[in-house]
Amino acid sequence: MTDLPERLLAGYRQFMGGRYAAETARYRDLAAKGQSPETMVIACCDSRAAPETIFDSGPGELFVVRNVANLVPPYEPDDRHHSTSAALEFAVQSLKVKHIVVLGHGRCGGIRAALDPSAEPLSPGDFIGRWMGLVAPAAQAVSGNSLMTTGERQTALERISIRYSIANLRSFPCVKILEDKGRLSLHGAWFDIGSGELWVMNRKTGDFFRPDAA
Amino acid sequence: MTDLPERLLAGYRQFMGGRYAAETARYRDLAAKGQSPETMVIACCDSRAAPETIFDSGPGELFVVRNVANLVPPYEPDDRHHSTSAALEFAVQSLKVKHIVVLGHGRCGGIRAALDPSAEPLSPGDFIGRWMGLVAPAAQAVSGNSLMTTGERQTALERISIRYSIANLRSFPCVKILEDKGRLSLHGAWFDIGSGELWVMNRKTGDFFRPDAA
Amino acid sequence: MTDLPERLLAGYRQFMGGRYAAETARYRDLAAKGQSPETMVIACCDSRAAPETIFDSGPGELFVVRNVANLVPPYEPDDRHHSTSAALEFAVQSLKVKHIVVLGHGRCGGIRAALDPSAEPLSPGDFIGRWMGLVAPAAQAVSGNSLMTTGERQTALERISIRYSIANLRSFPCVKILEDKGRLSLHGAWFDIGSGELWVMNRKTGDFFRPDAA
Amino acid sequence: MTDLPERLLAGYRQFMGGRYAAETARYRDLAAKGQSPETMVIACCDSRAAPETIFDSGPGELFVVRNVANLVPPYEPDDRHHSTSAALEFAVQSLKVKHIVVLGHGRCGGIRAALDPSAEPLSPGDFIGRWMGLVAPAAQAVSGNSLMTTGERQTALERISIRYSIANLRSFPCVKILEDKGRLSLHGAWFDIGSGELWVMNRKTGDFFRPDAA
């Protein structure tokens, strides 16, 4: 087989003839001057929820971390390597972003797994089980509520997880300090794949609402 | 201030009037049937190297992990949470992707930090230092070569890191087994921001070449 | 057999009916007034990298030295005969060229030999071994890097050798003085045989880039 | 100033749009399979006498050494670096060329210098003086002949030098052995810049004649 799937090569040629051709100067400028995005987005790996697509963003606009269920672990300074914490540190301390957005979405596979008590480990390492273990207490609290539908529990945990990640962001001293100084703001948002609706978290109440709705 | 940066809200409206309006049926279908991407991409958080942009990909096509310097840590089954390993496990075992692409890029800030011996920790936690520590041995080997220019050392380590991540992918039993069965293929690619060039890794030699050039 | 290979005689007839017929006046003028090329090129003997072909040059344009791996030895004033130094002296002092270009290329056999620790001398005299010995220290430094591929090490040494030759050019007092006066400029370039790409050395950083790309 | 003279960049673009575009497959093939030229040419650096131009040669055809006055020094196995001997060894032992052509030309600056008793060193190193010293005995013998015109002495020494270089080629054991076995043949030729005439050396008598003349 070839060294790269033909679909990707075809897409790349599309990019070169399209966006790159139209924004060559911008790409060269971004290469020469380096990136200086104002916003960091912590999103899910889900193929249906790419932040650049949802926010119609161009090159240089969004510094993006993507992991399963867009989770931010709590501050754990130790000798281990922490993927998300490293990206957070780089965005805040080196790039000095002004905004951090935790972008969740509906029908999230990671959240579904967390809500499924009968879920078997996907592999002996059970990496998904341990990763989603970050929201295990919340998952147990929600799954215990038999009055909500499966769909409601799913959406509920998706939004609880966004608030949980934002709370963890504040456990990082550098984030807390800059937010208190008004130089960094934290945001939550939730994307509904089917309807395309974007629900934004009210920073005071934690509720999610549609900005463009009445 | 508003609950979400105005730029993002404006971009979202652009998306709704553009891509979503044009692909509503596709989004509804992806919501109802779930995602089934054929490709997982492990990319960098860099705001200039979004895989959906470079590959001109639509909703449902790419399952994307993004961390600093697009690194895949070695297989470490323990009781800790591993962001990248969890995403890998989900993509391979649950989504059964057919391709995994490690997408690196030029002028990577994480790689630059790894090559800078005088780099100070960005914060007391030194998360970037520990994260890039994954390629510390390679960084030391490359930075020791004073005959290469700073730019050549940077490019060399960016490519060595891609090969390193692909080697680590194979340290995951589920990846190794499926690759040996011919049901999963691993790819490396490197994007040059300024020129927009995509260099693809030759799977046999590990060299990077431009598919449309030679 | 004839006194000259038939292929060469046929090619010569082609030249007489073509280029010479078209540029007779130019050839006569160059014979009468003598040559006054603005550029000296130090290139490799490789049959795939003729500078007049790569630069589409006409008669009188390029003063060309060609040796294995386009090397310039350091300044060694002694009683020996030095082929490259003699040509350099003639170009700079007698012809007063304004530019000197060290033109390297990919897949260079001399460089490959220098990187091959198990290389046997080609003859008892080991002339190639002694000639490539000029870059032996660099070759050792590069070949020690097992993290780079064979192809990457080859390209790295090809480019390091160009910078080495340019540095040696400056060890010649007449070159150094004229460069400092702004009357002579030194350039590096690297030709990729397969793709036909010409990479030019950035005189400040020593990096190689494609002028028509970025 | 730019990193490469604009004239060369323009010529390169001409090459890419012309010869390379027309012979892309040939270049790729030469890159993949390596060079295997049948002929080695030892020519002068003179900008008016490029062998690829005179023989209308394409990529891969001629392995070319160019030094001042197309001289081949005698066989000197020692610990020094010998540019021309190294190229000769590589062509004969590694590439196994079938023909070696020593290509001289009229109005050669090196020969003129050798014939000028009042010539001052071009620089303290006097590299040209030492290099042309290879033919000093012949130069003295010719310049002493006051019955010949300056032009006749020049042409005479140009041709004597070609025979001298061919004799030196035979001082290399590997050349002598292969020539005796009939697997390598040595040729001499002389190019007249003004008239474009190519004079070929009769291998038996050493005389130069025009193959296309009556």
Side-chain angles (χ1 to χ4, degrees), chain D residues 6-70:
Chain D
E6 180 48 41
R7 170 67 190 86
L8 296 187
L9 283 175
Y12 168 66
R13 293 186 193 105
Q14 199 66 32
F15 159 72
M16 281 306 278
R19 171 153 238 158
Y20 182 78
E23 302 194 74
T24 302
R26 185 175 182 179
Y27 274 99
R28 291 182 180 171
D29 193 58
L30 282 167
K33 299 180 182 169
Q35 67 176 330
S36 55
E38 288 201 342
T39 306
M40 173 187 196
V41 177
I42 295 153
C44 182
C45 300
D46 194 292
S47 62
R48 304 164 294 179
E52 288 83 0
T53 302
I54 295 171
F55 294 125
D56 192 48
S57 306
E61 286 192 75
L62 307 179
F63 183 80
V64 179
V65 167
R66 290 179 71 173
N67 59 41
V68 172
N70 41 273

Side-chain angles (χ1 to χ4, degrees), chain C residues 12 20 35 47 78 89 123 194 196, chain D residues 12 35 47 89 123 130 194 196:
Chain C
Y12 168 66
Y20 183 80
Q35 69 176 328
S47 63
D78 55 27
E89 182 183 76
S123 77
Chain D
Y12 168 66
Q35 67 176 330
S47 62
E89 180 184 78
S123 77
R130 300 194 192 291

Side-chain angles (χ1 to χ4, degrees), chain A residues 1-17, chain B residues 39 51 53-57 61-62 99 101 103 187-190 196-201 203 209-214:
Chain A
M1 74 147 51
T2 65
D3 293 296
L4 200 67
E6 180 47 41
R7 169 68 191 87
L8 296 187
L9 283 176
Y12 168 65
R13 292 185 194 105
Q14 200 66 31
F15 159 74
M16 281 306 277
Chain B
T39 304
T53 301
I54 296 170
F55 295 124
D56 193 47
S57 306
E61 287 192 75
L62 307 179
H99 304 281
V101 179
L103 175 65
H187 312 267
W190 179 89
E197 293 176 354
L198 184 72
W199 293 65
V200 175
M201 190 188 81
R203 308 242 292 288
F209 67 101
R210 299 201 349 266
D212 298 336

Side-chain angles (χ1 to χ4, degrees), chain B residues 16-205:
Chain B
M16 282 306 280
R19 174 154 237 160
Y20 182 79
E23 303 192 74
T24 303
R26 186 177 182 178
Y27 274 99
R28 290 183 180 165
D29 192 59
L30 282 167
K33 300 179 180 168
Q35 68 176 331
S36 55
E38 288 202 341
T39 304
M40 173 187 195
V41 177
I42 295 154
C44 182
C45 300
D46 195 293
S47 62
R48 304 164 294 179
E52 288 83 1
T53 301
I54 296 170
F55 295 124
D56 193 47
S57 306
E61 287 192 75
L62 307 179
F63 183 80
V64 179
V65 167
R66 290 179 70 174
N67 60 41
V68 172
N70 42 273
L71 297 178
V72 176
Y75 179 64
E76 295 174 307
D78 54 27
D79 63 351
R80 309 295 298 258
H81 49 270
H82 295 282
S83 170
T84 306
S85 302
L88 176 62
E89 181 184 76
F90 189 76
V92 173
Q93 301 291 73
S94 179
L95 299 176
K96 305 193 185 317
V97 296
K98 298 178 180 174
H99 304 281
I100 299 179
V101 179
V102 176
L103 175 65
H105 69 94
R107 301 163 188 273
C108 179
I111 294 293
R112 182 176 297 111
L115 283 170
D116 180 359
S118 66
E120 291 293 319
L122 291 175
S123 76
D126 191 24
F127 292 103
I128 276 290
R130 300 195 193 291
W131 177 248
M132 293 312 299
L134 285 167
V135 292
Q140 280 156 27
V142 171
S143 56
N145 187 336
S146 60
L147 295 169
M148 293 172 79
T149 67
T150 301
E152 286 170 345
R153 285 192 293 268
Q154 168 99 11
T155 301
L157 186 56
E158 285 163 355
R159 295 178 175 187
I160 287 167
S161 297
I162 292 169
R163 290 189 289 263
Y164 164 83
S165 290
I166 289 175
N168 284 343
L169 283 174
R170 297 199 171 99
S171 70
F172 287 76
C174 61
V175 172
K176 184 74 174 60
I177 292 167
L178 290 169
E179 187 187 26
D180 291 344
K181 288 183 179 177
R183 282 159 49 188
L184 176 65
S185 58
L186 311 184
H187 312 267
W190 179 89
F191 177 69
D192 182 74
I193 293 165
S195 67
E197 293 176 354
L198 184 72
W199 293 65
V200 175
M201 190 188 81
N202 174 307
R203 308 242 292 288
K204 291 194 178 55
T205 66

Side-chain angles (χ1 to χ4, degrees), chain A residues 13-155:
Chain A
R13 292 185 194 105
Q14 200 66 31
F15 159 74
M16 281 306 277
R19 172 152 237 158
Y20 182 79
E23 302 194 74
T24 303
R26 185 176 183 179
Y27 274 98
R28 290 182 182 174
D29 193 58
L30 282 167
K33 300 179 181 169
Q35 68 176 329
S36 55
E38 288 201 343
T39 305
M40 172 187 196
V41 177
I42 295 153
C44 182
C45 300
D46 194 293
S47 63
R48 303 164 296 179
E52 288 83 0
T53 302
I54 295 171
F55 295 125
D56 192 49
S57 306
E61 287 192 74
L62 306 180
F63 183 80
V64 179
V65 167
R66 289 180 71 175
N67 60 41
V68 172
N70 42 273
L71 298 178
V72 176
Y75 180 65
E76 296 175 307
D78 55 27
D79 63 353
R80 309 293 300 257
H81 49 268
H82 295 281
S83 170
T84 307
S85 302
L88 176 63
E89 181 183 76
F90 189 76
V92 173
Q93 302 290 75
S94 179
L95 298 176
K96 305 190 186 319
V97 296
K98 298 177 180 173
H99 304 282
I100 299 178
V101 178
V102 176
L103 175 64
H105 69 94
R107 303 163 187 272
C108 178
I111 294 294
R112 180 178 296 112
L115 284 169
D116 181 357
S118 68
E120 290 293 317
L122 291 174
S123 77
D126 191 23
F127 291 102
I128 276 289
R130 300 195 192 291
W131 176 248
M132 293 313 298
L134 285 167
V135 292
Q140 279 157 29
V142 171
S143 57
N145 186 334
S146 61
L147 296 173
M148 294 171 78
T149 67
T150 302
E152 286 167 343
R153 285 195 290 270
Q154 168 96 11
T155 302

Side-chain angles (χ1 to χ4, degrees), chain C:
Chain C
M1 73 146 53
T2 64
D3 293 294
L4 201 66
E6 179 48 40
R7 169 68 191 88
L8 296 186
L9 284 175
Y12 168 66
R13 292 184 194 105
Q14 199 67 32
F15 159 74
M16 282 306 278
R19 174 153 236 160
Y20 183 80
E23 302 192 75
T24 303
R26 185 177 183 179
Y27 274 99
R28 289 181 180 166
D29 192 59
L30 282 167
K33 300 179 181 170
Q35 69 176 328
S36 56
E38 288 202 341
T39 304
M40 173 187 195
V41 177
I42 294 153
C44 182
C45 300
D46 195 293
S47 63
R48 304 163 295 179
E52 288 83 1
T53 302
I54 295 170
F55 295 124
D56 192 49
S57 307
E61 287 192 75
L62 306 179
F63 183 79
V64 179
V65 166
R66 289 180 70 174
N67 60 41
V68 172
N70 41 273
L71 298 178
V72 176
Y75 180 65
E76 296 176 306
D78 55 27
D79 62 352
R80 309 293 300 257
H81 49 269
H82 295 281
S83 169
T84 306
S85 303
L88 175 63
E89 182 183 76
F90 189 76
V92 173
Q93 301 291 74
S94 179
L95 299 177
K96 305 192 186 318
V97 296
K98 297 177 181 173
H99 303 282
I100 299 178
V101 179
V102 175
L103 175 64
H105 69 94
R107 302 163 187 272
C108 178
I111 295 293
R112 181 177 296 112
L115 283 169
D116 181 358
S118 66
E120 290 294 318
L122 291 175
S123 77
D126 191 23
F127 292 103
I128 276 290
R130 299 195 193 292
W131 176 248
M132 293 313 298
L134 285 167
V135 293
Q140 280 156 27
V142 171
S143 55
N145 187 337
S146 61
L147 295 168
M148 293 172 79
T149 68
T150 301
E152 286 170 344
R153 285 192 292 269
Q154 169 99 11
T155 301
L157 186 56
E158 285 162 355
R159 294 178 176 187
I160 287 167
S161 297
I162 292 169
R163 290 189 290 264
Y164 164 83
S165 290
I166 289 175
N168 284 343
L169 282 174
R170 296 199 171 99
S171 69
F172 287 77
C174 61
V175 172
K176 183 75 174 60
I177 291 166
L178 290 170
E179 187 187 25
D180 291 345
K181 288 183 179 176
R183 282 159 50 188
L184 175 65
S185 59
L186 311 184
H187 311 267
W190 179 89
F191 177 68
D192 183 73
I193 293 165
S195 67
E197 292 175 356
L198 184 73
W199 293 66
V200 175
M201 190 188 82
N202 175 307
R203 311 240 292 287
K204 292 193 178 55
T205 66
D207 286 309
F208 283 75
F209 67 100
R210 301 203 344 269
D212 297 337

